[in-house]
Amino acid sequence: MTGTAAARARGLEFWTQAAPGWIRHADHQDEFGRPLGAAAMTWLRPAPGERVLDVGCGVGGTTAELAARVAPGGEAVGIDLAQPMVDAARTRFATVANLRFEVCDIEMVDAVPGAPFDAVFSRMALMLPADPVAGCAGILRCLRPGGRLAATVFRDSAANPWLAAALLGAAAHVGPLPALPVGDDPGPFAFADAARPLRILATAGFEQISVQARDVTLPAPEDPAAVAESLIEVGPAGAAYRAASADERARARRGAARLLERFREPGTGYRFPAGIWLITATRPISSAAGDI
Ligand SMILES: C[S@@+](CC[C@H](N)C(=O)[O-])C[C@H]1O[C@@H](n2cnc3c(N)ncnc32)[C@H](O)[C@@H]1O
């Protein structure tokens, strides 16, 4: 297996195992994650009648928001690698008419029926394909000429210290974790260096590419055990946490809560600082990429 093929297999396994945590905390994640995608949603300005694609949509909260913004007359399509995420998204939003979810790797996104799209949105997923140039080239091909892309991704670990805190606090109390990404491996910090997404999007054929830093705050209620559990379950320790005994899980929650304590404001709740890139780009009006 090539390095890229192995990374693809790891990604599929990781996100399929992570899905139960995302599904269990779906409503919480919709609220908790909102500030992470707000800048992309604002820049994109999805308008009634438009066709929009949500790349790496998870359990579908942002796709549903896109569907509301493009109604009437428009459609939102969410794609995700993990079948359980897509199944959950379909169930959660079964009554929304102008919304569709498909299982699809970002690298194969131009195979999704419904192209061309006016706009592509992505929250915390653009850095995850095994071959990000192939992923971004596929996104370009499924946009109409002049179509726009807006995505947010994490900057580096230091700008998002709560991610490591939840993992480190839990890790000692549960079974083995999946291998953590190294260097440019797909993972939360694969686009930490802004030069990388700039280079990738340019190679894929985008123009008017911009990568801007944004600092946001993620609020959570003052419930240490619940906050620790949700952050553990959507992270790399999630599968090991679910497989652990009740006693191990309680210790993992306490361990994570201890390291998350610095982000708790007594009487107010948690306020997690998040450092992200807002990545925006457009497909050239005339480009060499084959239309679909
Ligand atoms: C960090 S989660 C973000 C989910 C959602 N966008 C949100 O903000 O709540 C990343 C999502 O991307 C999906 N994903 C990872 N690699 C992918 C790939 N190569 N193609 C499509 N989706 C992928 C995962 O299954 C997961 O649902």
Side-chain angles (χ1 to χ4, degrees), residues 41-70:
M41 199 63 88
T42 300
W43 186 91
L44 207 63
R45 293 178 62 180
E50 285 197 315
R51 305 182 43 68
V52 293
L53 185 66
D54 185 0
V55 162
C57 64
V59 286
T62 52
T63 326
E65 187 176 341
L66 290 164
R69 287 173 183 246
V70 298

Side-chain angles (χ1 to χ4, degrees), residues 50-137:
E50 285 197 315
R51 305 182 43 68
V52 293
L53 185 66
D54 185 0
V55 162
C57 64
V59 286
T62 52
T63 326
E65 187 176 341
L66 290 164
R69 287 173 183 246
V70 298
E75 187 190 32
V77 179
I79 67 132
D80 200 279
L81 180 68
Q83 178 82 55
M85 299 273 200
V86 169
D87 290 343
R90 285 177 177 153
T91 302
R92 294 181 78 209
F93 301 106
T95 59
V96 182
N98 65 332
L99 183 58
R100 180 156 60 82
F101 294 100
E102 306 285 349
V103 176
C104 180
D105 190 310
I106 296 173
E107 293 182 55
M108 307 294 290
V109 69
D110 47 354
V112 171
F117 293 93
D118 298 293
V120 171
F121 171 91
S122 180
R123 187 174 81 182
M124 304 300 140
L126 199 64
M127 67 296 195
L128 297 174
D131 181 344
V133 172
C136 290

Side-chain angles (χ1 to χ4, degrees), residues 45-266:
R45 293 178 62 180
E50 285 197 315
R51 305 182 43 68
V52 293
L53 185 66
D54 185 0
V55 162
C57 64
V59 286
T62 52
T63 326
E65 187 176 341
L66 290 164
R69 287 173 183 246
V70 298
E75 187 190 32
V77 179
I79 67 132
D80 200 279
L81 180 68
Q83 178 82 55
M85 299 273 200
V86 169
D87 290 343
R90 285 177 177 153
T91 302
R92 294 181 78 209
F93 301 106
T95 59
V96 182
N98 65 332
L99 183 58
R100 180 156 60 82
F101 294 100
E102 306 285 349
V103 176
C104 180
D105 190 310
I106 296 173
E107 293 182 55
M108 307 294 290
V109 69
D110 47 354
V112 171
F117 293 93
D118 298 293
V120 171
F121 171 91
S122 180
R123 187 174 81 182
M124 304 300 140
L126 199 64
M127 67 296 195
L128 297 174
D131 181 344
V133 172
C136 290
I139 290 172
L140 179 104
R141 282 195 300 274
C142 74
L143 278 169
R144 65 165 169 75
R148 52 211 197 277
L149 163 69
T152 48
V153 299
F154 289 115
R155 298 206 309 269
D156 58 2
S157 176
N160 299 280
W162 47 279
L163 281 169
L167 173 62
L168 288 173
H173 308 289
V174 298
L177 305 186
L180 296 178
V182 177
D184 286 348
D185 288 350
F189 308 121
F191 281 4
D193 177 0
R196 188 160 185 245
L198 281 169
R199 201 169 50 239
I200 287 168
L201 287 167
T203 307
F206 279 94
E207 65 178 18
Q208 298 174 28
I209 305 163
S210 160
V211 179
Q212 294 174 34
R214 291 279 196 279
D215 292 301
V216 298
T217 302
L218 312 182
E222 197 173 10
D223 181 342
V227 166
E229 180 164 74
S230 66
L231 289 179
I232 294 167
E233 281 214 73
V234 299
Y241 175 81
R242 279 186 293 282
S245 69
D247 183 49
E248 289 166 332
R249 288 201 302 275
R251 281 190 276 130
R253 284 193 297 275
R254 284 197 296 275
R258 259 198 304 278
L259 294 185
L260 293 167
E261 179 63 18
R262 62 180 290 203
F263 306 110
R264 187 167 70 88
E265 293 183 359

Side-chain angles (χ1 to χ4, degrees), residues 22-47:
W22 285 79
I23 293 165
R24 177 151 181 243
H25 299 284
D27 294 340
H28 168 76
Q29 279 299 120
D30 284 351
E31 284 312 307
F32 183 72
R34 195 176 302 279
L36 293 174
M41 199 63 88
T42 300
W43 186 91
L44 207 63
R45 293 178 62 180

